[in-house]
Amino acid sequence: MLVWSRTGRAVLLTVFGLVVTIVFVAPIATVVAAALAGSWTGPLPSDLGLANFRQALSGEEAASLSVSLQTALLAGAFALIVGTWAALAAREAPTWCRRLTDAVFHLPVAVPSVAIGLGVLIAFNERPLLLGGSKWIVIVAHAVLVLAYAFSAVSAALDRLDPDYRQAAESLGAGPVRVLCQVTLPLLLPALGAAAGLAIALSMGELGATIMVYPATWRTLPVTIFGQTDRGDVFDAAAGTTVLAVVTLVALVLLGKVRGRAALR
């Protein structure tokens, strides 16, 4: 908007395109090319094929993908329920309590995920909450990490919500539970869909906290990819990364459709 000449706009768009290509497109394209490659000794990959993808969709990597999906769905559902409840409760609380709740729920975002993983490992590795060595400690760690985003999305939607809907329902004799179930929550469905999508996407790619707490029987796909890269199996890791990205994108598209239908209603 600040550039008026055609030449200036062309230069600006060219620079922007180069930055986007170098920063975003090139790394993704390189990963996809490596996933298709059988070898890469020159400037371009060679022996292209789908062997790496067949490996990524079978055996240990397929099991890891299933673990990632289950973890993301469970952690996302837990974060959505708790985050929505906290946002609704904080809305009716005094200002100081609302600020304290906001700070507590955003604390996991302010510290490294490795610190969250270590904290969860220490907190849930003794009785009466002994979760160490089970899948639940991974799910708890993911839920803690994505809870802030679910809380933020619902809180922002509540701030934008027109109070006239609630007041109209109350004036017609609707009780708090009925107002919540038939007015507030339906109006929050688009925000809930966005929060769920963000929580699942973040959980699918989470590594820092997971690597601190995961047991051998519950290994997510990012942990498996990290192990492959550490062993030098770059092509297998690239195929696993591509599969992870595609599955996450499909999940987001499906949730986006649900969110769109909720918005239309």
Side-chain angles (χ1 to χ4, degrees), residues 6-34:
R6 291 185 177 181
T7 303
R9 289 182 179 181
V11 171
L12 186 62
L13 289 174
T14 302
V15 172
F16 177 76
L18 287 174
V19 171
V20 170
T21 301
I22 294 172
V23 176
F24 297 104
V25 177
I28 296 174
T30 302
V31 170
V32 175

Side-chain angles (χ1 to χ4, degrees), residues 147-258:
L147 185 56
Y149 300 96
F151 174 79
S152 295
V154 178
S155 295
L158 283 172
D159 291 338
R160 296 191 302 268
L161 201 62
D162 191 342
D164 290 344
Y165 293 107
R166 178 181 176 182
Q167 293 170 3
E170 290 175 345
S171 67
L172 294 173
V177 175
R178 191 172 184 181
V179 171
L180 175 65
C181 296
Q182 297 187 2
V183 178
T184 304
L185 289 180
L187 290 173
L188 289 177
L189 281 178
L192 294 175
L198 183 59
I200 289 174
L202 291 171
S203 178
M204 288 290 290
E206 210 293 313
L207 177 63
T210 309
I211 209 166
M212 298 289 295
V213 300
Y214 82 97
T217 56
W218 198 258
R219 180 182 299 177
T220 62
L221 187 53
V223 174
T224 299
I225 293 170
F226 176 79
Q228 291 171 333
T229 305
D230 194 46
R231 295 192 303 267
D233 298 333
V234 179
F235 299 145
D236 290 337
T241 302
T242 305
V243 169
L244 179 65
V246 170
V247 171
T248 304
L249 183 61
V250 169
L252 290 177
V253 169
L254 293 176
L255 283 171
K257 289 184 177 181
V258 174

Side-chain angles (χ1 to χ4, degrees), residues 9-194:
R9 289 182 179 181
V11 171
L12 186 62
L13 289 174
T14 302
V15 172
F16 177 76
L18 287 174
V19 171
V20 170
T21 301
I22 294 172
V23 176
F24 297 104
V25 177
I28 296 174
T30 302
V31 170
V32 175
L36 294 169
S39 61
W40 198 331
T41 56
L44 295 175
S46 57
D47 301 327
L48 301 181
L50 299 176
N52 296 325
F53 285 106
R54 286 193 289 268
Q55 177 68 25
L57 294 173
S58 63
E60 179 184 336
E61 293 187 44
S64 295
L65 177 60
S66 175
V67 166
S68 288
L69 283 170
Q70 294 176 62
T71 301
L73 291 174
L74 291 172
F78 177 83
L80 192 62
I81 293 171
V82 175
T84 302
W85 166 76
L88 290 169
R91 190 187 187 193
E92 305 297 330
T95 302
W96 67 268
C97 185
R98 194 180 311 156
R99 291 177 179 174
L100 179 61
T101 304
D102 188 74
V104 170
F105 274 82
H106 284 94
L107 184 60
V109 182
V111 298
S113 60
V114 174
I116 299 298
L118 181 59
V120 169
L121 182 64
I122 295 173
F124 296 100
N125 209 32
E126 297 289 344
R127 296 185 184 279
L129 295 175
L130 180 58
L131 301 179
S134 71
K135 66 181 182 181
W136 298 109
I137 194 169
V138 180
I139 294 170
V140 167
H142 281 227
V144 170
L145 288 168
V146 302
L147 185 56
Y149 300 96
F151 174 79
S152 295
V154 178
S155 295
L158 283 172
D159 291 338
R160 296 191 302 268
L161 201 62
D162 191 342
D164 290 344
Y165 293 107
R166 178 181 176 182
Q167 293 170 3
E170 290 175 345
S171 67
L172 294 173
V177 175
R178 191 172 184 181
V179 171
L180 175 65
C181 296
Q182 297 187 2
V183 178
T184 304
L185 289 180
L187 290 173
L188 289 177
L189 281 178
L192 294 175

